[in-house]
Amino acid sequence: MKKIDWRNPVLVISVGMVILIASLLLTTTGNDTLLFVIMAFLTPLVALLLGVFGLQIYGRDSGSKDDRFNAFNYWFAIGLIMLSLAEIAGVLVSLSLNPQQMILVIALAQLPGLLLWGIGIIQYLRSLNAALGYVKPNNLLIGLFLATTLSTISLIVVIVTQYPTIGIIESIVLSPIVAGLTLFVIIVFALVWIFRKGSLARPLFLILLALLLYLIRCSLWLFADAGLEAPTDRVIAVEAFILCGTALLMARNLGTIDT
Amino acid sequence: MDINSIYIIKRDTGMCMYHKDFTGTAFDPQLLSSFLVAMTSFFDEATRSVKSQARAFEGSDYTILVEFGEWTLGAISTKGDSANIRKKLKRTIEKFEDQFSVLKWVDLDLAVQTRFEQRVIDEFIREKIAPETLITVKSEWEHYTKRPDVISFLRLIPAICAVKDAAEFLEVPVEIALNLAAEALWEGAIQVANPVKPDDIYQTTALTHEDDALVDLSPEAARALTELDGETPLSIAAERVRTVDMKRFLEEVAFLEQRKMVELVTPSQAVVVRYSSALQTLLTNFGNIIGFNVTRNIFFDAREELVDQYPWLGFVALEEGVDIEMKSSLLSATLKGTIAPDVLDDGLRVLMQFITRRVRDLMGKGPVNRVLAHTKDEIELRFPSTVYQIEWESFQV
């Protein structure tokens, strides 16, 4: 009987809790600058470490290139690494550019990482659909494409009409990210709901929370005035990365019998 | 199943209490019973064994299988030894001892031949008849049978028809038509032929490899031969040769069967092929959801739990990913029929049950049952008639 390794997920969650508590303390005591500096280093570091760890687990031979669950976790791990690079770029860019330019550059830098997450989610959804037979495969792809396109266009229209202070370029760059993240949240929520009575739901739930936090972060960039400069921005990011990394570690324990 | 004749013999007296000849090549019952009792006593004496040891006697083109009851001995003359035939013989002996237990103590005329024949029909004849079976009524069938219900049946139905068509024609339930056809076959008044079905599994015979084997064969038939490997149902073989007319493809296979170039696989092999397809599809579907590594772990854990009870499960393994591999030892045992089909059915069914129970803990009931339904639909495409021989309801969680 294989032993479940609970230490790593518990350790990562504990680190997340400590960061959250420390951030709250620093914010409430007025040490925003200190928090900003700490998070500028910590956020990319956490994402990079968890991404590399995830890559070590899922980058090894899974036995088959058709193992979509392994691929799902693998893409999330690579996505974490890409997002860590985006966070580093974000820190450097925030030192030299004005806020508007900063948001655009950071958002574009985040895109590769988020796209990789998206690839993992869509691939897994397709293979799940093949096994469960809910929807015809072609209809699924068409549905996803239409949902993304229509929601992006709708969001741009809403922003232009209801939030005229937001620049048109900002809305064009950030709307697809927000729409895409919203779609990912809906998809993963559906997965959690389908598997709610099984242990597979646990890592998926953590992924859902991670995506939700990231969606909140990106929405704040779009709608809040000081979204990117707020000290909470990187706290949200690091918590999202920690939840993602914990999910990757929990997924490794699936199917092992507790001894 | 090629049974020539069956005998039930009282062990202590060597008297043949029941016999039936199916092919007109039977031995003299009393001669055979004396021989068998003498030989079994010889083997028991020679080996000083309390339990009777003799199991089979081989002739040039027949084998006499022997099974022992409490006070009787059953013998079947057949083409070859198989666990399936032995199981049937064992069951027949048990039913005989149960029905005519008084004959253990006294020799009485209990009209054994007529009173026991229904049991033998149910055990050996009934399985040859299915609703799609073609009945050919012999030209002078009236001379073969005296049973009033069989006479009524044969008088009314067309000379050549399927059992289900006969039932429809006579407006009787199919089950009644099946039983009447079995009795008519028992009496020798009809001949039966089971049409080739898309989920039948055929394998080539030694005749295929002869030099002139492919002469006079159509290109389609020759292509079909390459796909009949004893593991592929005809529906899949037809897809592989890209046939557009399934009916014609089945006729080609029937033609090959008539020329004895192909033969149906043993019932054991058919069970293994059917179950391995179902298990493969199920594992692939589960692997697509929970990952191949987890699925492999679950499979090997389930197998480990069951291997004590079903040792042959040790020869069912996984290659790369979740690809099922049946080791050659198991395949050759199924080819020879040394493992009975119901033993294989039981073991593989329990293995699948174990796997679904474990996966339920990971996925929850709903998704597992949905995967099962989806798997059944996929298997039904390959085995349209025999998919329900797998007990899908028992896998539901």
Side-chain angles (χ1 to χ4, degrees):
Chain A
M1 303 263 183
K2 301 175 201 74
K3 208 172 160 196
I4 294 178
D5 180 14
W6 287 117
R7 289 170 306 173
N8 288 329
V10 167
L11 183 66
V12 173
I13 287 278
S14 306
V15 166
M17 297 297 290
V18 163
I19 293 172
L20 189 64
I21 293 167
S23 312
L24 284 169
L25 278 171
L26 287 172
T27 311
T28 50
T29 54
N31 288 306
D32 287 354
T33 314
L34 182 61
L35 178 62
F36 193 86
V37 169
I38 292 171
M39 296 313 295
F41 286 101
L42 206 56
T43 309
L45 188 66
V46 164
L48 186 66
L49 284 174
L50 290 172
V52 165
F53 202 35
L55 209 59
Q56 253 195 335
I57 302 169
Y58 298 102
R60 262 180 262 153
D61 182 15
S62 76
S64 169
K65 61 175 172 34
D66 295 323
D67 187 344
R68 293 292 177 224
F69 185 70
N70 194 78
F72 172 73
N73 292 302
Y74 177 73
W75 287 122
F76 260 82
I78 298 189
L80 276 173
I81 295 173
M82 296 299 289
L83 287 170
S84 78
L85 299 174
E87 292 297 323
I88 295 169
V91 167
L92 295 172
V93 147
S94 66
L95 297 172
S96 54
L97 295 177
N98 68 50
Q100 200 181 26
Q101 288 172 321
M102 200 165 65
I103 285 180
L104 290 176
V105 171
I106 289 171
L108 287 169
Q110 299 275 331
L111 262 180
L114 294 175
L115 270 174
L116 290 171
W117 280 8
I119 288 171
I121 292 170
I122 303 290
Q123 270 192 346
Y124 184 58
L125 181 67
R126 284 182 66 191
S127 108
L128 203 79
N129 185 55
L132 295 173
Y134 280 125
V135 175
K136 282 188 190 157
N138 285 342
N139 291 354
L140 179 70
L141 284 176
I142 292 168
L144 287 171
F145 175 74
L146 283 174
T148 319
T149 316
L150 289 174
S151 55
T152 305
I153 294 169
S154 310
L155 191 57
I156 293 172
V157 166
V158 163
I159 290 169
V160 165
T161 52
Q162 302 297 322
Y163 300 89
T165 53
I166 298 173
I168 188 79
I169 295 176
E170 277 172 308
S171 59
I172 289 170
V173 169
L174 287 169
S175 294
I177 294 176
V178 170
L181 278 168
T182 308
L183 188 64
F184 298 161
V185 164
I186 293 170
I187 291 171
V188 177
F189 177 76
L191 297 181
V192 170
W193 182 255
I194 290 170
F195 299 119
R196 63 191 183 279
K197 293 197 177 154
S199 52
L200 182 60
R202 288 178 217 153
L204 287 173
F205 181 69
L206 293 180
I207 296 270
L208 173 66
L209 291 179
L211 289 169
L212 211 51
L213 281 176
Y214 225 84
L215 174 63
I216 292 169
R217 187 195 190 197
C218 295
S219 303
L220 287 173
W221 289 350
L222 189 56
F223 297 109
D225 287 335
L228 199 61
E229 294 159 330
T232 50
D233 175 68
R234 290 210 164 81
V235 174
I236 294 173
V238 82
E239 293 302 325
F241 298 148
I242 281 172
L243 284 167
C244 196
T246 313
L248 295 179
L249 293 168
M250 277 182 84
R252 186 170 66 150
N253 283 329
L254 276 181
T256 27
I257 299 167
D258 206 349
T259 55
Chain B
M1 190 175 59
D2 299 296
I3 308 275
N4 299 324
S5 47
I6 180 172
Y7 309 83
I8 296 180
I9 299 157
K10 192 170 178 184
R11 282 166 74 172
D12 50 7
T13 61
M15 188 181 73
C16 182
M17 294 179 289
Y18 177 84
H19 68 95
K20 172 67 183 176
D21 174 24
F22 296 103
T23 57
T25 57
F27 303 100
D28 176 77
Q30 294 311 326
L31 182 64
L32 181 73
S33 53
S34 307
F35 165 73
L36 287 176
V37 166
M39 290 307 290
T40 51
S41 301
F42 169 76
F43 281 117
D44 293 345
E45 194 60 42
T47 58
R48 295 190 193 284
S49 168
V50 173
K51 197 175 165 201
S52 295
Q53 299 287 318
R55 299 303 305 279
F57 301 96
E58 268 193 46
S60 52
D61 58 352
Y62 64 86
T63 302
I64 299 174
L65 307 182
V66 176
E67 284 289 338
F68 297 93
E70 202 191 307
W71 50 276
T72 62
L73 175 161
I76 277 185
S77 166
T78 177
K79 207 165 74 168
D81 197 343
S82 99
N84 191 29
I85 296 177
R86 284 190 177 277
K87 270 205 157 217
K88 286 177 176 289
L89 180 57
K90 197 101 179 124
R91 272 201 298 267
T92 309
I93 294 167
E94 282 165 15
K95 285 177 189 169
F96 185 92
E97 290 184 350
D98 189 47
Q99 188 173 347
F100 301 106
S101 50
V102 70
L103 290 179
K104 183 179 178 185
W105 312 109
V106 290
D107 291 329
L108 292 174
D109 180 4
L110 295 177
V112 171
Q113 287 292 133
T114 43
R115 288 172 63 196
F116 194 62
E117 74 178 22
Q118 191 57 48
R119 303 268 196 180
V120 180
I121 291 174
D122 291 340
E123 196 64 61
F124 294 100
I125 303 291
R126 186 63 179 75
E127 65 172 21
K128 291 186 189 178
I129 317 277
E132 301 83 24
T133 303
L134 278 175
I135 305 172
T136 307
V137 183
K138 289 183 181 171
S139 50
E140 291 179 1
W141 59 269
E142 302 89 353
H143 300 300
Y144 290 98
T145 179
K146 296 285 177 278
R147 294 172 194 242
D149 47 356
V150 173
I151 291 170
S152 311
F153 177 66
L154 296 178
R155 191 173 279 157
L156 293 170
I157 62 170
I160 301 178
C161 67
V163 173
K164 64 178 183 224
D165 295 334
E168 219 176 282
F169 185 75
L170 296 172
E171 292 177 3
V172 298
V174 171
E175 196 57 37
I176 292 182
L178 291 167
N179 291 335
L180 288 170
E183 286 179 27
L185 181 63
W186 172 266
E187 302 270 277
I190 61 171
Q191 285 170 326
V192 297
N194 281 303
V196 175
K197 298 189 291 294
D199 42 8
D200 284 338
I201 304 165
Y202 279 83
Q203 61 190 2
T204 52
T205 63
L207 287 176
T208 314
H209 305 290
E210 290 185 356
D211 293 333
D212 58 348
L214 301 183
V215 170
D216 300 332
L217 279 190
S218 68
E220 255 198 38
R223 276 205 312 274
L225 266 181
T226 59
E227 297 298 335
L228 301 180
D229 55 2
E231 291 176 10
T232 312
L234 292 179
S235 55
I236 303 294
E239 268 173 47
R240 288 184 191 164
V241 300
R242 300 200 213 294
T243 188
V244 294
D245 187 350
M246 185 57 152
K247 195 171 164 211
R248 184 163 161 74
F249 181 79
L250 295 177
E251 283 168 8
E252 296 282 357
V253 173
F255 173 68
L256 290 170
E257 191 180 15
Q258 271 170 15
R259 285 183 63 162
K260 305 238 185 271
M261 293 178 76
V262 297
E263 61 185 3
L264 271 171
V265 296
T266 60
S268 305
Q269 203 170 348
V271 167
V272 162
V273 171
R274 203 180 314 124
Y275 261 101
S276 65
S277 295
L279 186 58
Q280 177 68 75
T281 310
L282 192 70
L283 289 179
T284 305
N285 284 335
F286 283 150
N288 281 339
I289 299 173
I290 55 177
F292 287 3
N293 283 340
V294 174
T295 309
R296 286 176 67 88
N297 289 341
I298 289 173
F299 172 85
F300 286 119
D301 286 343
R303 194 183 71 167
E304 204 180 298
E305 296 268 352
L306 293 171
V307 80
D308 288 337
Q309 203 178 344
Y310 304 97
W312 51 268
L313 274 178
F315 296 106
V316 180
L318 292 180
E319 289 179 318
E320 212 184 279
V322 290
D323 293 334
I324 298 270
E325 186 199 5
M326 298 280 179
K327 303 271 188 202
S328 55
S329 319
L330 179 61
L331 289 175
S332 95
T334 61
L335 264 169
K336 291 178 196 166
T338 48
I339 304 182
D342 52 345
V343 170
L344 290 164
D345 190 290
D346 204 41
L348 290 166
R349 179 177 47 80
V350 174
L351 179 67
M352 285 175 75
Q353 279 175 336
F354 260 69
I355 290 170
T356 51
R357 299 303 180 265
R358 283 291 305 280
V359 175
R360 176 197 54 194
D361 295 336
L362 293 172
M363 284 169 44
K365 282 189 202 176
V368 170
N369 288 335
R370 196 169 171 103
V371 167
L372 281 168
H374 195 226
T375 304
K376 193 185 97 179
D377 292 340
E378 285 183 50
I379 297 302
E380 195 167 357
L381 294 174
R382 280 181 248 166
F383 302 95
S385 311
T386 51
V387 62
Y388 293 100
Q389 290 182 14
I390 297 176
E391 292 175 31
W392 296 98
E393 300 74 23
S394 68
F395 304 139
Q396 300 269 327
V397 293

